[in-house]
Amino acid sequence: MELNALQIRLAQTYEGGIYAPGRILEDAQNRNDALFLFLLQEAETCSDTVDLMGRLAVTIDRLQDVLEALETPANDGVEEAESEEGDKPDED
């Protein structure tokens, strides 16, 4: 797969440009770098930097929503209840 200009720019800036030119995709797959692979995939179909920035802003908002949901005390109760259910003896 040949990378477009946005993908190359991402590769040059992501983690300080850790991926070698000419082996970017292969190296990312070998390292199982899902975030970087996601970024490359998003950049593949973007028309320009503004388009990519918009897509990333939406992704960041969604990730922030997930983080906030995980931080709520209600989720801690769900996890505790699930672990307690596994500790209960059968009542038969």
Side-chain angles (χ1 to χ4, degrees):
M1 170 181 145
E2 189 168 327
L3 302 179
N4 66 30
L6 283 175
Q7 292 170 312
I8 292 169
R9 186 171 174 193
L10 279 172
Q12 290 170 338
T13 59
Y14 182 83
E15 293 285 327
I18 61 173
Y19 294 111
R23 292 196 36 86
I24 292 169
L25 188 57
E26 295 85 358
D27 289 348
Q29 288 172 336
N30 288 338
R31 291 185 60 175
N32 295 315
D33 193 339
L35 177 58
F36 183 62
L37 291 169
F38 167 78
L39 292 170
L40 288 177
Q41 182 178 354
E42 287 298 302
E44 184 176 16
T45 57
C46 288
S47 57
D48 57 25
T49 304
V50 173
D51 186 17
L52 178 58
M53 289 171 53
R55 289 186 191 192
L56 294 180
V58 169
T59 300
I60 290 167
D61 286 343
R62 290 179 181 164
L63 289 171
Q64 188 62 46
D65 290 343
V66 170
L67 282 173
E68 290 171 7
L70 292 172
E71 290 174 345
T72 60
N75 286 334
D76 292 337
V78 170
E79 290 173 0
E80 289 174 14
E82 289 173 351
S83 66
E84 288 175 7
E85 287 177 13
D87 296 337
K88 289 183 181 179
D90 291 335
E91 296 181 13
D92 291 334

